[in-house]
Amino acid sequence: MRKVSFFTLGCRSNYFDTELIAEQFRQMGYSVVDEDADIHIINTCTVTSGADRSSRQAIYRAKRKNPSSVVVVTGCYAQVSPKELLKLREVDLIVGNTHKGEIVKLVEEFLEERGEKVHVGNIFRESHMKNFRLLTYFEKTRPFLKIQEGCNKFCSFCIIPFARGKVRSVPKEQVLKEVSLLAQRGFKEIVLTGTQLTQYGWDIKTNLYELLKELLKIKGVEIVRLSSLYPLEIDKNLLELITSEEKVAPHFHISLQSASNRVLKLMERGYKVEDYVRLVDRIMGRRPLSAIGTDIIVGFPTEGEEDFKLCLGFLEELPIAYMHIFPYSDREGTKAYKIEGKISENIKKERMEILKELDRRKRNEFLKKNRGKELRAIVIEENKLLTENYISLEREGYSSVGELVRIEV
């Protein structure tokens, strides 16, 4: 029996894909292992140059473990930069996102014939999600449902549309059926996710609001958590729903990227800081204990000291619970790649440290704000809980994993 191992980098979409691929290998009689594998599948990320570097390091490690093994590189890095990967002697087979569904067949063909090494197609020709079924990934006691793939928004810095393609959505009826089955199995919290969740349904004449309206009626589902949301795509109906329905977790990750209007324009985000502030104020006005998370890119081309000070000032005033902070990374093929006025790595590092300190303060302020409040929480491990607004707690006496409880912070 051949043995296959997996190493996954990047977003949850990649983890969904890895679970699906692993199951396909199992069905074909392969043994999925952690060590001593004959075949190493590296599911890569390419969102930053650091992600590319981490992907390469994973490739080198896999080949060192077993020089005679077959190293298969798939995922976003494989989709966007197959020629770059082809130069690495450690790489035996490259399978882009366009061919992930055929990866077992391609691996077996390679083992038999040692033929073609690169299988990467045009991602923009993909018109539906492969393996036409709902993808569910379990993180402890919480099922994550991948209901959407791709993005139709081309921000000037982002390589993801070139790696994931245009929007493809799981039909609404199929999502509802899967959620009903999960509820019958006793799951109290469901997490909806996708490449760009707020674009769900754009390709099948529906939307996230219409899906949520039906999903929230399903008996047994107590908390529905949403993954990252794009500010401009939260329309009036969706905003009203997520701020009025108790079943929707008061935890909203809404990417800002910059708090300088000049930089936002260069990023081609389509909104201004004032729009973002207005959205956050409306959410907090209706659900004051909500955890608002955001993403910030540091050192975008031409970002001056004044831009950074503006960004810092806005972030200090915003009632956000946490930030994910990234240094800008040049990605060939994006519009931002051609913008002159690149920021030095030293300046990026200095600004990152300032924002990391602000992030620590914001997290502490959010925790203090919730102290003494009673919240719903899921027992994710024995004596470990996660509240509806994303606070991790440790508390003795909670052993029923998966149970929904009310708890004082």
Side-chain angles (χ1 to χ4, degrees):
M1 180 185 292
R2 287 196 177 114
K3 294 180 288 185
V4 58
S5 73
F6 293 87
F7 187 82
T8 308
L9 301 101
C11 65
R12 282 202 174 90
S13 284
N14 263 9
Y15 285 88
F16 285 111
D17 295 344
T18 295
E19 287 294 310
L20 179 60
I21 293 168
E23 183 58 30
Q24 290 173 339
F25 272 99
R26 289 189 191 98
Q27 289 174 3
M28 294 300 292
Y30 289 75
S31 174
V32 176
V33 298
D34 294 324
E35 298 291 337
D36 301 321
D38 306 304
I39 303 158
H40 295 283
I41 310 287
I42 314 296
N43 197 355
T44 60
C45 175
T46 192
V47 70
T48 65
S49 56
D52 288 354
R53 185 167 56 253
S54 296
S55 297
R56 290 193 296 271
Q57 289 168 350
I59 292 165
Y60 302 148
R61 284 196 302 271
K63 203 65 168 181
R64 279 199 302 269
K65 285 179 181 178
N66 182 359
S68 63
S69 65
V70 172
V71 174
V72 183
V73 184
T74 189
C76 293
Y77 191 17
Q79 180 64 40
V80 171
S81 305
K83 291 180 181 177
E84 188 175 313
L85 287 166
L86 196 56
K87 296 175 184 176
L88 304 182
R89 59 184 176 83
E90 293 85 357
V91 174
D92 296 296
L93 186 63
I94 300 166
V95 181
N97 285 332
T98 53
H99 288 69
K100 267 184 176 176
E102 309 163 51
I103 197 166
V104 178
K105 177 175 75 74
L106 295 174
V107 167
E108 292 193 332
E109 287 176 357
F110 181 81
L111 290 170
E112 290 174 13
E113 304 168 11
R114 299 282 166 165
E116 189 177 347
K117 289 185 67 170
V118 180
H119 301 271
V120 178
N122 185 339
I123 194 71
F124 294 109
R125 289 181 181 168
E126 300 293 304
S127 58
H128 63 277
M129 288 180 72
K130 292 288 180 69
N131 303 288
F132 198 67
R133 68 178 182 82
L134 206 61
L135 303 179
T136 306
Y137 169 72
F138 293 90
E139 184 182 271
K140 302 188 190 303
T141 61
R142 302 186 302 153
F144 284 70
L145 276 64
K146 181 180 175 182
I147 63 171
Q148 178 271 339
E149 177 81 284
C151 179
N152 288 0
K153 173 76 178 162
F154 287 80
C155 299
S156 68
F157 57 86
C158 188
I159 198 70
I160 295 305
F162 300 94
R164 291 280 175 180
K166 60 187 179 181
V167 171
R168 287 100 71 204
S169 307
V170 177
K172 184 170 68 172
E173 295 72 22
Q174 196 175 347
V175 178
L176 297 174
K177 181 180 178 182
E178 182 72 7
V179 173
S180 295
L181 291 171
L182 290 168
Q184 289 169 24
R185 289 172 59 188
F187 291 102
K188 303 297 184 185
E189 177 178 328
I190 308 291
V191 185
L192 298 183
T193 188
T195 311
Q196 186 68 293
L197 186 63
T198 39
Q199 292 182 13
Y200 170 80
W202 286 16
D203 58 321
I204 54 174
K205 296 182 180 179
T206 187
N207 54 52
L208 185 59
Y209 166 73
E210 294 294 337
L211 172 66
L212 279 175
K213 267 200 317 182
E214 298 300 316
L215 194 152
L216 293 171
K217 297 175 185 175
I218 296 173
K219 187 177 179 180
V221 175
E222 299 297 333
I223 296 178
V224 177
R225 197 178 300 272
L226 307 176
S227 65
S228 188
L229 308 172
Y230 184 76
L232 273 186
E233 293 162 2
I234 303 174
D235 61 19
K236 183 180 177 181
N237 288 334
L238 183 58
L239 180 61
E240 172 64 27
L241 186 69
I242 65 177
T243 56
S244 62
E245 285 284 350
E246 188 186 40
K247 280 189 176 183
V248 176
H251 168 213
F252 307 104
H253 191 91
I254 308 171
S255 297
L256 175 58
Q257 305 300 5
S258 175
S260 160
N261 283 333
R262 190 189 69 82
V263 174
L264 281 175
K265 187 174 182 180
L266 285 173
M267 289 178 167
E268 299 188 10
R269 292 290 286 173
Y271 54 82
K272 293 184 177 181
V273 177
E274 293 80 6
D275 301 320
Y276 188 93
V277 172
R278 194 157 44 245
L279 173 62
V280 170
D281 284 347
R282 286 173 180 168
I283 293 172
M284 299 303 288
R286 298 284 294 273
R287 305 188 78 179
L289 293 181
S290 294
I292 305 290
T294 197
D295 300 319
I296 297 294
I297 293 176
V298 174
F300 189 83
T302 78
E303 180 189 74
E305 196 62 35
E306 197 59 39
D307 294 307
F308 182 68
K309 285 179 180 176
L310 275 172
C311 187
L312 191 60
F314 268 112
L315 291 171
E316 285 176 341
E317 295 298 320
L318 276 171
I320 50 179
Y322 65 89
M323 296 183 282
H324 293 163
I325 307 159
F326 307 91
Y328 168 77
S329 181
D330 251 347
R331 313 308 292 145
E332 191 171 356
T334 64
K335 291 182 181 179
Y337 183 78
K338 298 179 180 179
I339 298 177
E340 296 182 357
K342 299 294 191 283
I343 308 302
S344 74
E345 294 304 313
N346 284 339
I347 291 176
K348 287 182 194 176
K349 188 175 180 180
E350 289 172 8
R351 293 175 183 174
M352 287 276 293
E353 289 305 313
I354 292 169
L355 286 180
K356 284 178 181 178
E357 176 56 35
L358 176 59
D359 177 49
R360 284 191 283 271
R361 294 206 319 264
K362 288 288 185 181
R363 289 172 188 262
N364 285 332
E365 288 169 6
F366 181 69
L367 292 176
K368 288 177 182 177
K369 179 180 177 180
N370 280 272
R371 187 174 292 152
K373 301 292 191 296
E374 187 179 80
L375 299 168
R376 295 174 300 168
I378 293 285
V379 182
I380 56 172
E381 292 181 46
E382 186 172 355
N383 301 327
K384 291 186 179 180
L385 304 94
L386 183 71
T387 70
E388 56 190 313
N389 63 347
Y390 209 54
I391 297 173
S392 296
L393 300 174
E394 292 192 18
R395 193 74 59 84
E396 294 292 328
Y398 290 93
S399 57
S400 299
V401 175
E403 183 184 3
L404 179 68
V405 300
R406 296 197 75 89
I407 189 168
E408 184 179 300
V409 178

